[in-house]
Amino acid sequence: MTFTPDPNAEYNDQLVRATNMVCSAVRFTKTLRAGLLEPEVFHLNPAKSDTDHFKKFIRWVPSSLSWYGAYMMNAYPLDMSQYFRLFNSTRIPRSGKDELFTDERGRHVLVIRNGNMYVFDVVDRDGSMVRPAEIQAHLKYILADPTPVPRFPLGFLTTENRDVWADLREKLRAAGNAENLKMIDCALFCLCLDEENLKDHIHTSHNMLHGNGYNRWFDKSFSIIMSKDGQAAINFEHSWGDGVAVLRFQNEVFKDTTKHPVVHPGPAAATDVDSASAVSRLQFNLDAELENGIQTAKEKFESAVSRLTIHAMEFKKGGKERLKKNKLSPDAMVQLAFQMGFLRQYGQTVATYESCSTAAFKHGRTETVRPATVHTKKCSHAFVCQPRQHSVEQLKALLHQCSSYHGQLTKEAAMGQGFDRHLFALRYLAGSEGRALPHLYTDPAYAAINHNILSTSTLTSPAVNLGGFAPVVPDGFGIGYGIHDDWIGCNVSSYPSRNAHEFLECVYKSLDDIYSVLE
């Protein structure tokens, strides 16, 4: 998820922005762990509940009763149990099943530049943040380090098959690297300082999604990536949590760095700090087997990313305001455009996945909205396969039918009434108890709906400029989209068996058709 550039252009300098983001991230960590971070709340009636008066009132209500007080005002506190995995966390590869590891005692940050890894403390022994001028001095020292890219950069190992990486990690430990691995695992988070200037949206998407492989450690819960020209993004590991927690962090960091920057452009403040002793560059012992493992991982990584294409599209003829005026759900209409686009390109309807947060429940993760329905199929065929055979009124009625049904599906998913996670849990339980799988799970239809050719996700925020992910199946599209007041953006990835550029042209035409009918 790429950050919007700082509105003050001079603050988009790599060193200045990296320092401000590290400091804001530490401030967020401290606020979270002190229990002072404002709770996530879903307001059904924000005019009543999202007010200073209500917040002051609910603060004095005993915690055992506060939920009921909020409920009476149609305000629903959301689960925030994922947040503790944001910091000092890593996904450690284990044979058969990985381990999520968190050690809150870590006071340092991990910085990667040119494939070299550095650590330095950002929190002192008293729990206070290190002075921003010191953090800036340490980052400046790292940016000036002439050490070249290692012949065998360890970051590639985090892109390997998990069981292969689990085996190599044990060998790394045995070769005398246990302490260094521990420093990586319990670092607050990872900061990747890249040497590239980014040319455009597509270049940015590729760099922030996978980059060159060696300047990343993909197992960290999240990494802040900072390009040479000061473009920033968060790349996060998905097993521990979902976009809701990461987006809150991104929103707060963006707001803090743009409203309250702690360092500024121009000559850095003079400090008496000795960065050479405060910053440690991690050095690893590698034998021939480990070097071969890194080389193999590098070749696999480069082969995989060479097959990935990404294209972006901006539809400027309207956004959510026009749709809402017509009493249509903006999300439903964009999802319909994906159905129409795929039908136009390939002549069929396929399994489609839309992520929906279930954070209204304790430990809630996600449920699936299934946007491909009998209503979207009927509407798509009317627009794509039967042009000029329906009146404007008939087409509007079909759009409203799609909108209404999509709204119902979304509400059901958010309230735990979807079927995907339920069936997954039953299947997992049957397998863990050694039972024969019920016939439902061996039905070709079940396999078909779980092969999601269209995988979609939306996160819209003033802090987010661009978001994206890879397809979840080899013949699929990974569709990240944002619906703004007066425009709609899509960022689509695919492998060679699909044409993302052509798909976006078809989606654009579909959105154009929908807005033409509304006119």
Side-chain angles (χ1 to χ4, degrees):
M1 303 195 304
T2 308
F3 280 93
T4 303
D6 193 305
N8 297 316
E10 65 272 25
Y11 281 84
N12 291 312
D13 170 81
Q14 186 181 34
L15 176 60
V16 171
R17 202 174 193 201
T19 306
N20 280 321
M21 284 200 170
V22 168
C23 292
S24 291
V26 174
R27 288 166 70 168
F28 182 94
T29 315
K30 287 175 59 58
T31 308
L32 170 68
R33 289 182 177 164
L36 297 173
L37 190 68
E38 190 172 311
E40 284 285 347
V41 180
F42 178 66
H43 299 274
L44 269 180
N45 188 353
K48 270 189 170 182
S49 59
D50 197 9
T51 64
D52 287 338
H53 178 74
F54 174 72
K55 287 173 188 173
K56 281 177 186 170
F57 160 74
I58 207 72
R59 198 171 286 145
W60 294 105
V61 177
S63 57
S64 58
L65 300 174
S66 59
W67 188 89
Y68 298 98
Y71 176 74
M72 286 167 68
M73 300 290 281
N74 262 341
Y76 298 88
L78 301 179
D79 178 76
M80 294 173 70
S81 59
Q82 294 175 13
Y83 282 59
F84 95 100
R85 291 277 190 207
L86 263 170
F87 303 102
N88 303 101
S89 296
T90 296
R91 177 176 174 174
I92 296 178
R94 302 287 188 216
S95 181
K97 182 169 73 171
D98 286 355
E99 173 196 347
L100 291 176
F101 170 86
T102 303
D103 183 352
E104 295 185 357
R105 293 170 298 179
R107 295 185 286 114
H108 58 282
V109 67
L110 170 69
V111 181
I112 311 181
R113 177 175 170 263
N114 277 334
N116 295 297
M117 298 187 193
Y118 308 80
V119 293
F120 63 84
D121 285 354
V122 287
V123 176
D124 65 22
R125 293 186 184 281
D126 298 327
S128 300
M129 183 172 77
V130 168
R131 285 183 303 135
E134 287 186 37
I135 292 173
Q136 185 175 25
H138 297 339
L139 292 176
K140 187 178 180 181
Y141 172 81
I142 291 169
L143 284 167
D145 184 3
T147 306
V149 177
R151 276 188 65 212
F152 299 98
L154 253 66
F156 283 119
L157 293 176
T158 63
T159 73
E160 248 292 10
N161 169 281
R162 300 305 290 178
D163 285 339
V164 172
W165 172 206
D167 184 48
L168 288 170
R169 186 183 158 103
E170 284 308 307
K171 292 182 167 65
L172 257 179
R173 284 173 55 82
N177 300 296
E179 198 55 40
N180 281 352
L181 288 170
K182 187 181 173 187
M183 293 298 283
I184 293 170
D185 295 341
C186 67
L188 267 168
F189 58 90
C190 180
L191 171 68
C192 304
L193 297 172
D194 285 359
E195 291 295 287
E196 280 189 89
N197 293 311
L198 303 177
K199 297 191 289 282
D200 52 31
H201 277 353
I202 308 305
H203 188 194
T204 300
S205 286
H206 277 289
N207 189 67
M208 302 312 192
L209 183 61
H210 55 76
N212 53 29
Y214 62 75
N215 216 49
R216 302 285 182 269
W217 192 264
F218 290 110
D219 287 357
K220 283 303 283 180
S221 53
F222 75 90
S223 298
I224 294 176
I225 301 166
M226 187 72 63
S227 66
K228 192 78 171 170
D229 51 356
Q231 294 190 58
I234 290 176
N235 180 305
F236 75 98
E237 199 288 302
H238 220 321
S239 67
W240 64 268
D242 304 303
V244 177
V246 182
L247 183 63
R248 172 68 185 277
F249 170 73
Q250 184 157 353
N251 286 341
E252 299 285 2
V253 166
F254 181 74
K255 184 175 163 187
D256 198 45
T257 53
T258 53
K259 296 273 171 58
H260 312 287
V262 289
V263 299
H264 309 279
T271 64
D272 55 358
V273 64
D274 179 11
S275 292
S277 59
V279 177
S280 299
R281 181 162 63 85
L282 304 183
Q283 302 200 44
F284 294 86
N285 303 318
L286 302 178
D287 57 24
E289 188 178 6
L290 287 165
E291 289 176 351
N292 287 337
I294 293 168
Q295 184 60 31
T296 302
K298 176 179 186 282
E299 290 164 7
K300 285 187 192 173
F301 169 82
E302 289 173 349
S303 169
V305 301
S306 70
R307 293 184 296 110
L308 184 75
T309 59
I310 300 176
H311 285 279
M313 175 272 286
E314 291 182 353
F315 180 83
K316 293 292 181 73
K317 296 185 181 181
K320 62 184 171 192
E321 282 186 356
R322 286 267 306 281
L323 296 170
K324 283 181 174 178
K325 274 182 189 168
N326 285 274
K327 295 185 168 51
L328 290 166
S329 154
D331 189 61
M333 291 302 98
V334 175
Q335 287 287 343
L336 173 64
F338 298 150
Q339 296 298 315
M340 287 165 62
F342 196 89
L343 180 68
R344 194 182 301 277
Q345 187 180 11
Y346 294 105
Q348 65 179 126
T349 299
V350 290
T352 308
Y353 174 100
E354 179 183 2
S355 180
C356 177
S357 173
T358 50
F361 294 92
K362 187 173 183 179
H363 299 163
R365 292 287 308 247
T366 60
E367 181 51 273
T368 309
V369 179
R370 290 286 176 178
T373 68
V374 288
H375 303 294
T376 59
K377 187 173 182 180
K378 185 178 176 184
C379 187
S380 298
H381 275 267
F383 273 93
V384 177
C385 308
Q386 302 152 356
R388 295 176 294 281
Q389 291 181 32
H390 298 78
S391 68
V392 167
E393 256 46 56
Q394 286 173 320
L395 291 172
K396 277 188 178 177
L398 289 171
L399 291 177
H400 279 280
Q401 213 169 24
C402 289
S403 176
S404 172
Y405 192 62
H406 187 84
Q408 180 189 328
L409 289 178
T410 304
K411 189 176 177 183
E412 285 173 358
M415 297 314 295
Q417 298 299 310
F419 64 82
D420 279 87
R421 303 297 182 255
H422 185 71
L423 289 177
F424 170 78
L426 292 175
R427 180 182 184 175
Y428 177 82
L429 289 170
S432 66
E433 292 172 7
R435 299 185 185 195
L437 276 182
H439 293 308
L440 170 71
Y441 295 109
T442 57
D443 192 297
Y446 187 75
I449 64 163
N450 284 291
H451 186 87
N452 289 299
I453 288 169
L454 296 178
S455 183
T456 73
S457 184
T458 180
L459 287 172
T460 306
S461 159
V464 178
N465 200 28
L466 194 66
F469 52 95
V472 298
V473 291
D475 58 339
F477 289 117
I479 306 170
Y481 63 102
I483 310 171
H484 307 272
D485 287 343
D486 52 7
W487 66 284
I488 295 162
C490 283
N491 199 32
V492 175
S493 62
S494 68
Y495 293 114
S497 61
R498 297 286 181 194
N499 187 327
H501 178 67
E502 188 181 89
F503 174 70
L504 279 176
E505 287 181 335
C506 294
V507 170
Y508 190 97
K509 172 76 171 81
S510 303
L511 286 169
D512 202 28
D513 287 351
I514 291 168
Y515 278 85
S516 297
V517 163
L518 299 183
E519 285 175 1

